[in-house]
Amino acid sequence: MRRADVVIIGAGQAGLALSHCLGQAGIDHVVLERGRIGERWRSQSWRSLRLLTPNWLNALPGSPYKGGDPDGFMSKAAFVESLERYAWQWHAPVETNIEVISAKRTADGFALRANTGDWAARAVVVATGHCDRPVIPFGAETIRAPLSIHASQYRSPGELPGGGVLVVGASSSGVQIADELARAGRRVVLSVGKHTRLPRTWRGQDIFFWLSAMGLMAQRQEDLANPEAARRQPSLQLAGRPDRADVDLATLQALGVQLAGRVRGVGDREIAFAGDLGQHIAAAEAKQARLLDQIDRFTGMTTPYRPEPVAVPAAGMERLPLSAIRTIIWATGYARSFDWLEPLALGADGELAHQGGVTSVPGLYALGFRFLRKRDSNFIGGVGADAEAIAGEVSRHLERSGRKAA
C-alpha cells in the first residue's frame, strides 16, 4: 500500500491548482489521474473547441497570463499544453492512468482502491470536475436514428454520417456544435430548452470583463436570493471564436438552423417536441435585457441598444420524422456519479454534500464543482481562489489530526 498525506483525485485545472497550493505549503500529496493530464479536455470535446473565457481570465495560482493575446481564446490543444507546462513548472506529483475505484473512511484517514493498487491518505480532495457522466434522456436504447451520441462524443462534421442532424440542447455546447454543422452545409434542427443568451462583447468589452468588473463572477451563495436557481442556470450561449462573433439562436437562424422546443418524446419513427419554444426564448431575452441594463447602469451608458432578437417561428415544429435526420447529438449535460466515494459524504440526491468544498466527513473535500464557493468556481480562472481556501482547510485538518505538514 502506498501512502500520502493528501490524495487529490483528478489532474485537470482544479487538481493542479490545488497541488500548487499544497506544494507551496510544503504538504505531502499526490495527484491521481485516471487518464492523462487534462484528459476530459483531450477526449471529451470536439476538435475545433476553444475556451469560452478570454486568456486574461484563465490564470492558475502562481501562473498569471503573460502571452501577447490577452483577449484571445485558447484552443483546447493549447490549453492542454498549458496544463502540462503548469504541472511541470511546479513539479506537481501527478500519477497518470490511475483510476480510483473506491475511497472510504478509515479510523485514521482514507483507504483508496485503484486499478494499480491501494493507497492510504490522511485527506482526500475530489477534483473530478462538474462534467462527469454524460446524460442522454429517454435512454439511448430507444432511439432508432442511425447515430445517436452525446455532445462529449462529437468531434467534427466530417466524422458524422451524411444528412440532417438534430442537436438537443441550446446551451454552450449545443449552439457551438449546431453552428459548426450549419457552416459545414448540414441541415440542422436545434431543440431548445432553458438557455442563457449573452453577447460576446458589449460596449466594446468582452462580456466577461463586465461580469468580473461588477463582481458577479465572485458572488457567493449567501449573496443571492435564490442560490439553487443560480446553480441550475444553463451555461452561457457563447463561443470563443477568433472573430469574437456571437453564437446564439439569432445567429443560428441566420445560418438556416431550424428551432424547435424541448424533446418530449422519442418514438420508433419520429421525435416529438413540446410547444414551449416561445416561452424559453422570451425568458432568455428578458434575462439578457436585465443584465445588459445592469451593465449599462454600471458604465453610465444611456444610448439604447440591444442585440438582434430571436424570431420565434409562427408555426412551431411539433414532430420530426427520424427519416429526415441521420444523427442526433444530445447536448444535454452531465451528472456526477459518486458511488465509489465514502457514502457518509453523499446527500439524498447522490451528490457530494459540502459547504464551500468542505464535507461532513473529516478530511474529505471537493474542488472544481459548479458554485462550490462562488459563481466562477468551475471556471478556469475561478478555481485558484477556491484551491487556496481548500488548501488551508486541508492544512488545518492535518494539524488537528496530529500530522503536521511535511
Side-chain angles (χ1 to χ4, degrees):
M1 178 178 289
R2 301 178 64 184
R3 298 179 180 274
D5 279 356
V6 184
V7 169
I8 303 169
I9 304 175
Q13 61 265 18
L16 295 178
L18 179 60
S19 175
H20 168 79
C21 295
L22 294 179
Q24 293 297 102
I27 296 175
D28 170 58
H29 69 282
V30 66
V31 185
L32 303 183
E33 167 57 51
R34 66 182 177 182
R36 299 160 291 179
I37 289 175
E39 184 61 41
R40 284 208 177 99
W41 289 99
R42 298 174 188 264
S43 61
Q44 294 188 16
S45 59
W46 59 97
R47 301 189 192 288
S48 65
L49 176 67
R50 290 178 175 270
L51 302 188
L52 294 184
T53 45
N55 293 331
W56 60 264
L57 192 56
N58 298 326
L60 292 175
S63 183
Y65 179 74
K66 297 180 181 178
D69 187 20
D71 295 317
F73 303 94
M74 199 177 299
S75 70
K76 73 166 187 176
F79 180 62
V80 168
E81 289 178 3
S82 75
L83 289 179
E84 291 179 324
R85 286 196 304 272
Y86 184 76
W88 173 83
Q89 176 186 1
W90 296 108
H91 309 289
V94 179
E95 300 206 15
T96 57
N97 299 307
I98 297 180
E99 182 174 5
V100 176
I101 299 169
S102 68
K104 307 297 183 184
R105 178 74 178 161
T106 64
D108 59 352
F110 295 87
L112 294 89
R113 187 163 59 91
N115 61 334
T116 58
D118 296 337
W119 286 78
R122 306 290 293 180
V124 170
V125 182
V126 180
T128 52
H130 187 76
C131 299
D132 184 10
R133 179 170 54 84
V135 171
I136 298 180
F138 307 107
E141 69 279 357
T142 67
I143 300 165
R144 301 294 182 86
L147 181 63
S148 176
I149 60 174
H150 189 265
S152 60
Q153 299 169 285
Y154 169 75
R155 297 295 175 264
S156 70
E159 295 171 67
L160 300 181
V165 183
L166 168 65
V167 179
V168 182
S171 291
S172 174
S173 294
V175 295
Q176 290 183 80
I177 292 171
D179 178 84
E180 181 170 81
L181 290 168
R183 292 178 184 276
R186 297 298 189 92
R187 180 204 175 186
V188 181
V189 177
L190 179 65
S191 171
V192 178
K194 291 182 179 179
H195 59 280
T196 305
R197 185 189 184 197
L198 283 179
R200 178 73 267 181
T201 60
W202 187 249
R203 303 300 190 186
Q205 297 282 357
D206 190 272
I207 191 66
F208 280 109
F209 172 86
W210 299 118
L211 297 179
S212 299
M214 295 192 301
L216 298 182
M217 298 291 285
Q219 282 182 319
R220 302 173 70 89
Q221 292 193 46
E222 55 266 31
D223 300 329
L224 305 174
N226 190 343
E228 191 55 37
R231 191 188 300 274
R232 295 195 305 267
Q233 180 178 312
S235 60
L236 305 178
Q237 281 184 346
L238 290 174
R241 291 168 52 115
D243 61 4
R244 310 183 65 77
D246 291 338
V247 177
D248 55 26
L249 300 188
T251 65
L252 292 176
Q253 284 180 314
L255 290 172
V257 173
Q258 296 175 272
L259 305 183
R262 289 178 303 106
V263 171
R264 63 177 177 84
V266 178
D268 290 342
R269 298 183 178 181
E270 64 181 16
I271 294 178
F273 300 101
D276 55 2
L277 176 61
Q279 70 185 59
H280 287 309
I281 290 175
E285 295 294 297
K287 189 169 186 177
Q288 175 180 245
R290 289 194 296 271
L291 180 58
L292 297 183
D293 284 344
Q294 187 178 352
I295 294 173
D296 286 353
R297 289 194 298 272
F298 178 78
T299 62
M301 295 277 189
T302 57
T303 307
Y305 169 70
R306 287 292 174 266
E308 186 72 21
V310 178
V312 180
M317 183 181 297
E318 296 182 357
R319 299 181 185 279
L320 178 67
L322 286 174
S323 60
I325 57 172
R326 297 281 294 168
T327 303
I328 302 176
I329 300 176
W330 300 89
T332 42
Y334 297 82
R336 283 142 302 285
S337 176
F338 295 113
D339 54 356
W340 54 274
L341 192 58
E342 170 59 50
L344 292 176
L346 306 183
D349 58 358
E351 293 279 355
L352 181 56
H354 63 86
Q355 289 292 327
V358 181
T359 77
S360 62
V361 176
L364 182 61
Y365 306 92
L367 183 65
F369 297 115
R370 191 170 193 183
F371 232 131
L372 186 94
R373 299 176 69 87
K374 47 191 173 45
R375 190 183 289 274
D376 65 353
S377 284
N378 65 314
F379 283 69
I380 298 164
V383 76
D386 285 4
E388 291 173 1
I390 295 300
E393 296 284 353
V394 168
S395 179
R396 287 186 286 274
H397 169 75
L398 293 177
E399 291 174 358
R400 287 194 301 268
S401 63
R403 181 74 171 263
K404 292 186 179 295

